[in-house]
Amino acid sequence: MTQPQQITVLGATGSVGLSTLDVIARHPSRYKVFALTGFTRLDELLALCVRHAPQFAVVPTTAGARQLQDDLHAAGLDTRVLVGEGGLCEVSAHPLVDTVLAAIVGAAGLRPTLAAVEAGKKVLLANKEALVMSGALFMQAVRRSGTVLLPLDSEHNAIFQCLPGNYADGLGAIGVRRILLTASGGPFRETPLPQLEHVSPEQACAHPNWSMGRKISVDSASMMNKGLELIEACWLFDTTPAHIEVVIHPQSVIHSMVDYLDGSVLAQLGNPDMRTPIAHALAWPERIESGVAPLDLFSIARLDFQAPDESRFPCLRLARQAAQAGGSAPAVLNAVNEIAVTAFLDRRIRFPEIAGMIDEVLNLEPVVAVSELEAVFEVDAKARALARQWLSRNAR
Ligand code: NDP
Ligand code: MG
């Protein structure tokens, strides 16, 4: 019998992390948890360690590590606790690891995800911000190490499933006309525009179809999530924004489509549950059970589509603009968005100011080429500083 694959789950305490552990627990003979990481929810991390008995856990501070290590000993576990970004990179690149699931939210996931890529691990990517920040360098690292990179983001996983195995030859060469990237439109798809000034973080996080972390929920409400996904798709499938059309599909049943030259459009459908793309990527090229209920088309009854309205969703236009500008622009977009979303969640700015702030900083910053990782982090730091200055002038 083959040995179970050893899996590191970066961001185990989050929404994608927990869905992944749910799938893994259904297949104990195929998968074994090697390492789990958390950031603020350390009680949950302890409970997950007790359940999955990993070899390593990673937390952000020495004090947190000491506490968790004591609690793990008391629970009779010999899990070793590591600290900080160094610890995250160690469990990503460890020689005993086969697969790394990258589900930390935001720029914090970039270095540990790249560490996994550089060590040649199979990488299942949820952390789209890492790719948005450093797409060219990230994909160069993927090619250099020959690692298998599989998209977990439901749209990109759907596109991957609708493409033939030789898609890396170029989408034009395999007869793809365009990618149709679907979006639910989020909770504010029909909210009267003047009311957007007054929407609360709770309303923004109440996604109609998906249950997700708070940052991506706000990104979905502003449609910056679709903007980030547009950039993510350009890198993953080596294409340009002009070949990607965003389609609002409120039911979130079709997770994306590929339109071919002969008029065929291939779609991947499923219930809106991340365990489907997670199970697909974990087992690829095989298929495993995920715990997701079969799709009931009769109860769904209809599938609707509409074009996105950019006056309602200016973040989508800004992301397209950053994608077209290339170089440092997507890293600036991502950094300012992270600061803006936090400020909105902290009730320091209003919802429409997320786009206002990004627009201003993006237009302030000249686009420069970024040919090494340190340059990406410099761009990220400078954009965050400008975003904070914007906040000190405009926030409550
Ligand atoms: P959550 O907020 O639920 O989880 C984020 C995870 O990252 C948690 O484990 C959190 O730890 C950890 N984390 C947060 N900040 C840091 C940091 N600075 N350093 C190390 N770890 C950190 O987010 P989601 O699971 O919803 O999303 C994770 C990623 O997956 C995002 O990039 C998102 O865009 C992407 N994604 C999510 C989807 C979803 O359905 N949720 C769908 C497609 C993509 P703790 O909780 O302990 O603080
Ligand atoms: Mg998505």
Side-chain angles (χ1 to χ4, degrees):
M1 216 179 102
T2 52
Q3 292 291 315
Q5 276 183 48
Q6 298 282 337
I7 316 247
T8 284
V9 184
L10 300 173
T13 46
S15 166
V16 173
L18 293 174
S19 292
T20 302
L21 291 170
D22 181 278
V23 177
I24 286 178
R26 293 167 191 274
H27 303 278
S29 61
R30 289 183 83 115
Y31 307 112
K32 171 85 188 80
V33 174
F34 179 81
L36 295 175
T37 86
F39 195 64
T40 56
R41 290 175 269 197
L42 300 189
D43 290 344
E44 281 87 337
L45 184 61
L46 172 64
L48 293 173
C49 288
V50 169
R51 172 124 199 255
H52 297 278
Q55 294 199 30
F56 291 96
V58 186
V59 299
T61 65
T62 314
R66 205 170 297 130
Q67 178 69 54
L68 182 62
Q69 193 72 75
D70 289 349
D71 293 344
L72 287 164
H73 278 153
L77 286 164
D78 55 9
T79 302
R80 270 188 57 205
V81 184
L82 305 178
V83 182
E85 195 171 69
L88 295 172
C89 292
E90 191 175 331
V91 297
S92 292
H94 195 286
L96 292 177
V97 170
D98 300 300
T99 299
V100 174
L101 187 116
I104 288 175
V105 60
L110 177 54
R111 277 192 217 271
T113 307
L114 263 182
V117 168
E118 278 158 4
K121 306 303 181 192
K122 179 173 168 185
V123 175
L124 313 189
L125 184 72
N127 179 206
K128 64 193 88 183
E129 296 92 344
L131 199 52
V132 168
M133 286 173 76
S134 69
L137 296 168
F138 193 101
M139 294 311 289
Q140 274 166 26
V142 168
R143 283 189 288 274
R144 215 172 30 238
S145 68
T147 196
V148 174
L149 176 69
L150 293 169
L152 278 197
D153 211 343
S154 57
E155 296 77 3
H156 305 74
N157 184 271
I159 295 161
F160 179 83
Q161 294 198 47
C162 295
L163 288 170
N166 64 338
Y167 73 86
D169 294 350
L171 296 192
I174 57 166
V176 171
R177 190 153 46 190
R178 55 191 181 143
I179 287 172
L180 300 170
L181 188 67
T182 54
S184 69
F188 304 143
R189 185 172 56 86
E190 293 185 320
T191 306
L193 285 180
Q195 278 183 29
L196 291 180
E197 288 284 337
H198 308 292
V199 296
S200 67
E202 291 71 27
Q203 287 169 305
C205 288
H207 196 279
N209 306 331
W210 295 92
S211 154
M212 308 182 286
R214 279 160 68 81
K215 193 260 178 185
I216 184 177
S217 296
V218 176
D219 285 348
S220 298
S222 69
M223 277 192 83
M224 177 55 90
N225 184 48
K226 215 46 55 180
L228 299 176
E229 290 184 357
L230 175 94
I231 300 171
E232 182 185 13
C234 287
W235 291 115
L236 285 172
F237 305 114
D238 193 15
T239 187
T240 64
H243 290 92
I244 303 176
E245 183 161 357
V246 174
V247 177
I248 293 194
H249 163 48
Q251 291 90 355
S252 298
V253 168
I254 296 181
H255 298 304
S256 277
M257 295 170 263
V258 178
D259 176 13
Y260 288 88
L261 280 180
D262 60 6
S264 302
V265 176
L266 302 196
Q268 186 259 358
L269 285 72
N271 286 317
D273 187 322
M274 283 303 290
R275 289 176 301 173
T276 294
I278 289 166
H280 170 267
L282 270 174
W284 181 84
E286 294 170 23
R287 296 269 178 181
I288 54 171
E289 203 271 323
S290 65
V292 177
L295 187 64
D296 180 354
L297 284 171
F298 298 119
S299 74
I300 294 160
R302 56 185 272 186
L303 301 175
D304 295 317
F305 305 99
Q306 356 170 302
D309 168 3
E310 286 193 354
S311 61
R312 175 177 293 278
F313 298 116
C315 285
L316 193 54
R317 173 179 54 77
L318 293 169
R320 211 175 256 285
Q321 182 188 318
Q324 270 147 359
S328 55
V332 172
L333 175 93
N334 178 66
V336 184
N337 182 55
E338 285 192 27
I339 300 282
V341 170
T342 304
F344 170 70
L345 286 170
D346 292 345
R347 296 184 158 76
R348 296 187 63 206
I349 62 173
R350 294 175 196 274
F351 185 73
E353 287 177 303
I354 295 175
M357 178 170 165
I358 298 168
D359 199 0
E360 223 175 287
V361 179
L362 206 55
N363 285 312
L364 213 64
E365 271 303 275
V367 178
V368 295
V370 277
S371 51
E372 53 188 73
L373 199 60
E374 287 323 305
V376 174
F377 283 109
E378 274 170 32
V379 167
D380 176 85
K382 183 156 180 233
R384 281 169 202 265
L386 288 169
R388 289 195 187 98
Q389 284 170 22
W390 189 99
L391 281 179
S392 63
R393 288 195 306 275
N394 298 288
R396 276 175 264 174

